[in-house]
Structure formats: structure tokens, C-alpha cells
Amino acid sequence: MLWPGTLIGAGAGFAIASIPGAMLGALLGQALDRRLHLQSWGHLREKLGGRPMLRNDELLFVLLGRLAKSDGRVTDGHIQQARNEMRALEMSEPATRRAIAAFNRGKSGSDNLRGYLRRLSVQPHASEGVLRACWRMVWADGRAGVSERELLAQWGKWLGWTTHQVQALASDYEPGKRPIVSAAVSYQEAMRLLGVSTSSEPAQIKRAYRRLLSRHHPDKIAGTGATPAQVREATEKTRELHSAYTLIRERRDFR
């Protein structure tokens, strides 16, 4: 990992006072790195350009924003998917505002994300959670374009994943492969999955769905140090909850 302030300080100090100067300059530069949280040349460029560095809770939404805009147009499906991710993560109001700003920032495509993703690569479960969220965004408009696949392949590489591993996650969220709950025989099962009844108000059903979605969301499970198998199980549970909620909403005719 590069520490730009430390390197610049050491170089400047050496030019002024040889080895003693380099040592003093490195110490001063290191203090600057820590104060400004500089961990790469990209971070330094962002600081010099007046652009704030991304917080950990903003990175995901910058990625999602860039994916949404990658084909040139952000659809309502993309926006709704971003909202779904915010709800699933149970974000506070300030965190939600930051996530919205990060999503809009991502649409500009001006951030150099390599350093951020390189740092995240040491957290395998968090990396998988990010890639899964990205695939959910990709499929939000019903298709995965070339530009979106290329972005995910590049981001996966920076996270330490092979292209094959990244692409293998795609089928988990591809619309044609999502499980569908049969309206003819599974309405009662859908109610059971959400823990609601035919007399439950729409607001109660929505709260139950969001609570369960948050509990079983694969990103949240991954963040607890779960195994890949447990993350896959959570992904399947999330699908079932989504299908059940969609069925109930259509049957009860509410949004």
C-alpha cells in the first residue's frame, strides 16, 4: 500500500538534508497521511481536487450508481433497486442521505475505485456481498449489458476474483432464473413465509417483508463472517421472500 504523504516527505527531506532530512520528512508525511487518511495516490488526487474520499458505507452506492448509468440511462428499476439496498441495510436517515449522494456521484463515473476495492479485497465475505449487490443492480432493468459485465469483471479483478467467478454470480439474479411462486397454489404459503394473515393491513405486510429481508439479506449475513454456503442460503431465502411479497402485493392490489 502506498502512503503518498510519507513518500513525498521523504523525497523532499532527502533533497534538502540527505538521510536525516528524509527521515524527518517521512515522519511528517506519515502524520499527514494519518490525519487526511491518505492511502493511495488516488486519494491524494481526490483531496487536491476538492473531492471527498469515499466512506465505507458510500462505496457500494457509488458502484451501483455507476452500473445504473453505464448504459447511458438510469431507469426507475435502477432507482428502486438502490432503495431496496438501503432498506435491506437498515440505514439511518443520515446514512441514507449519504447513500443517495454516493449513488448520484457514481453516475458521474469520475471516481477512481481501484484503491477502494483493493482494500476491500482482504474481506472476502464483504467483497462477495458487494458483487452480489452489483449483480442485483445490473438485472434491475431485466438485462445485463456488455458495459455492465465489463465493469463487474474489472471490479472483481481488483477484489481478487477471477472473471469466471464474477460471472458465476450472475445466474443467481438473472430474471429468467428467479424462482416464481405459483399464484394458484402458493398464496397461503406466501402468507406463511412473511408471517402475516389475510386480515393483515398492507402496512403490516410491508413491515414484515422488510424486517425479514433485512434479517436474511446476503450482504448482512456476509458481514458477520458467514461461510459462502450460508451466504448462498441467505440469497435463496431472500428470493423466496421477494417472490412471496410480490405475490401477496399483486393479490391484494397494493404497492
Side-chain angles (χ1 to χ4, degrees):
M1 182 179 294
L2 296 176
W3 302 91
T6 303
L7 295 177
I8 292 173
F14 184 82
I16 295 171
S18 191
I19 294 178
M23 295 175 64
L24 178 59
L27 288 174
L28 294 174
Q30 187 178 63
L32 181 66
D33 285 330
R34 289 178 176 174
R35 182 174 182 81
L36 298 181
H37 304 288
L38 298 176
Q39 298 180 353
S40 70
W41 294 109
H43 280 174
L44 180 59
R45 286 193 294 272
E46 288 179 4
K47 283 291 185 180
L48 293 175
R51 194 173 184 82
M53 291 188 298
L54 294 172
R55 296 163 54 107
N56 289 339
D57 60 350
E58 296 169 335
L59 174 59
L60 171 62
F61 290 93
V62 167
L63 296 170
L64 298 182
R66 185 169 296 186
L67 282 171
K69 186 68 174 179
S70 63
D71 281 339
R73 177 174 172 269
V74 178
T75 67
D76 291 341
H78 290 132
I79 295 172
Q80 183 59 49
Q81 183 57 40
R83 290 173 179 162
N84 291 343
E85 298 294 341
M86 293 175 201
R87 284 197 296 268
L89 294 171
E90 295 185 314
M91 289 186 149
S92 64
E93 185 176 341
T96 298
R97 288 198 296 268
R98 289 195 301 270
I100 293 171
F103 184 80
N104 291 328
R105 174 172 169 173
K107 290 189 293 185
S108 71
S110 58
D111 284 288
N112 183 351
L113 301 171
R114 181 172 183 171
Y116 294 108
L117 294 174
R118 288 285 193 189
R119 288 196 304 279
L120 189 63
S121 66
V122 300
Q123 304 175 48
H125 296 307
S127 298
E128 181 173 349
V130 164
L131 289 172
R132 288 185 176 277
C134 285
W135 275 118
R136 289 193 290 272
M137 178 58 71
V138 167
W139 289 118
D141 62 354
R143 64 188 185 86
V146 174
S147 59
E148 293 166 316
R149 290 182 180 275
E150 288 177 346
L151 276 176
L152 277 177
Q154 182 62 74
W155 295 346
K157 180 179 179 181
W158 292 338
L159 287 168
W161 288 53
T162 67
T163 299
H164 176 74
Q165 288 173 322
V166 173
Q167 295 297 328
L169 295 178
S171 60
D172 286 346
Y173 306 98
E174 188 173 352
K177 297 184 179 180
R178 291 175 184 167
I180 299 175
V181 177
S182 169
V185 297
S186 300
Y187 180 62
Q188 292 300 324
E189 177 67 11
M191 301 291 281
R192 186 192 66 76
L193 279 171
L194 296 190
V196 297
S197 67
T198 54
S199 62
S200 298
E201 294 293 327
Q204 293 176 297
I205 296 172
K206 289 179 182 178
R207 285 196 297 271
Y209 169 64
R210 290 171 181 172
R211 182 176 64 253
L212 289 168
L213 192 66
S214 173
R215 181 186 304 168
H216 298 286
H217 198 281
D219 292 349
K220 194 169 186 177
I221 297 295
T224 65
T227 66
Q230 289 172 322
V231 173
R232 285 193 295 272
E233 182 179 350
T235 300
E236 184 63 29
K237 183 67 174 180
T238 299
R239 287 178 180 172
E240 293 176 356
L241 292 170
H242 177 71
S243 296
Y245 178 67
T246 299
L247 172 60
I248 295 171
R249 187 179 63 185
E250 291 176 351
R251 177 71 68 89
R252 297 282 297 275
D253 193 26
F254 66 85
R255 297 183 64 82

